[in-house]
């Protein structure tokens, strides 16, 4: 009786390569199955999507109110930070479906910004996530004497002239900054948030 196994080539590096390829294929399929429902659930929810390059910025309006993209000139130096949301200029969709899209706009003296922050600002207007990185409380206040944005929940303070770095309090990381540019005076989102907005988990 012939032993066909004896005719088979030795199973060495070639088999190992095939085994690794099969495992990668299986792993990819599992990841795809896990991720697909989430992606699919949000694919048609433009209002939930994070700010996109090219988005404009607008204040939250009452239902039916026409939304106007903000200009640099609309943000007054020394004024209280303005809470805004990204606006898709192509569809007019205000991305207000998630509170993680809340953005603080603040106009500062460009000379007071460090090089990194100045490069992400538009004529002194800086944009930061309005959600504290500690436990996710809303941020809306700026103390001009200290030059800090602060959270009332646990008193974390962030320096907007230095990329939103933590000055004091329990926040474990900087506020995500949203890069901006000016297009003929209109505020335009230049890139995505520098980091994931929201509480640190």
């Amino acid at each position: 009786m012939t032993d066909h196994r004896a005719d088979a080539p030795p199973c060495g590096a070639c088999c190992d390569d095939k085994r690794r390829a099969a495992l990668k294929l299986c792993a990819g399929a599992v990841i795809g199955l896990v991720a697909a429902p989430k992606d699919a659930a949000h694919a048609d929810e433009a209002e939930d999507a994070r700010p996109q390059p090219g988005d404009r910025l607008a204040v939250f309006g009452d239902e039916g109110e026409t939304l106007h993209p903000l200009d640099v000139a609309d943000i007054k130096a020394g004024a209280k930070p303005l809470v805004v949301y990204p606006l898709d200029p192509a569809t007019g969709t205000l991305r207000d479906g998630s509170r993680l899209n809340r953005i603080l706009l603040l106009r500062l003296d460009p000379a007071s910004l460090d090089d990194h922050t100045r490069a992400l600002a538009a004529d002194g207007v800086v944009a930061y996530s309005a959600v504290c990185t500690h436990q996710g409380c809303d941020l809306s206040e700026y103390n001009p004497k200290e030059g800090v944005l602060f959270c009332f929940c646990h008193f974390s303070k962030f320096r907007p002239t230095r990329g939103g770095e933590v000055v004091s309090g329990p926040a474990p990381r900087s506020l995500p900054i949203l890069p901006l540019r000016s297009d003929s005076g209109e505020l335009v989102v230049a890139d995505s948030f520098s980091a994931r907005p929201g509480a640190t988990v």
Side-chain angles (χ1 to χ4, degrees):
M1 182 175 183
T2 302
D3 185 356
H4 295 289
R5 290 176 299 180
D7 297 328
C11 189
C14 177
C15 290
D16 289 342
D17 289 345
K18 290 179 180 178
R19 190 178 300 114
R20 280 193 290 270
L23 288 172
K24 285 182 180 179
L25 184 62
C26 290
V30 170
I31 292 171
L33 288 171
V34 171
K38 180 181 179 182
D39 291 343
H42 291 277
D44 298 325
E45 299 171 3
E47 67 273 15
D48 289 341
R50 295 290 168 264
Q52 306 290 313
D55 278 358
R56 275 42 173 185
L57 298 171
V59 296
F60 182 84
D62 295 331
E63 188 173 352
E65 181 181 345
T66 301
L67 297 168
H68 298 283
L70 294 167
D71 292 337
V72 172
D74 292 323
I75 314 304
K76 306 300 182 187
K80 182 179 178 179
L82 192 61
V83 178
V84 301
Y85 285 89
L87 175 71
D88 181 347
T91 64
T93 300
L94 189 68
R95 303 190 196 280
D96 62 344
S98 168
R99 61 182 295 272
L100 298 181
N101 286 346
R102 286 168 52 91
I103 297 163
L104 281 180
L105 284 183
L106 185 66
R107 190 165 191 176
L108 302 165
D109 180 358
S112 69
L113 307 178
D114 66 15
D115 291 344
H116 172 70
T117 306
R118 190 180 306 112
L120 303 178
D123 297 332
V125 177
V126 291
Y128 286 97
S129 168
V131 181
C132 184
T133 57
H134 178 218
Q135 292 190 355
C137 293
D138 289 343
L139 283 172
S140 61
E141 298 298 326
Y142 176 68
N143 182 331
K145 290 184 178 179
E146 295 185 52
V148 296
L149 294 162
F150 62 95
C151 175
F152 276 120
C153 286
H154 304 96
F155 304 106
S156 290
K157 297 180 179 179
F158 305 89
R159 186 80 67 193
T161 57
R162 299 181 61 82
E165 70 178 13
V166 179
V167 176
S168 64
R173 60 187 177 95
S174 301
L175 277 181
I177 187 169
L178 185 67
L180 298 178
R181 60 181 174 84
S182 171
D183 185 354
S184 299
E186 192 171 72
L187 288 169
V188 179
V189 174
D191 206 342
S192 53
F193 274 123
S194 60
R196 179 182 55 78
T200 301
V201 294

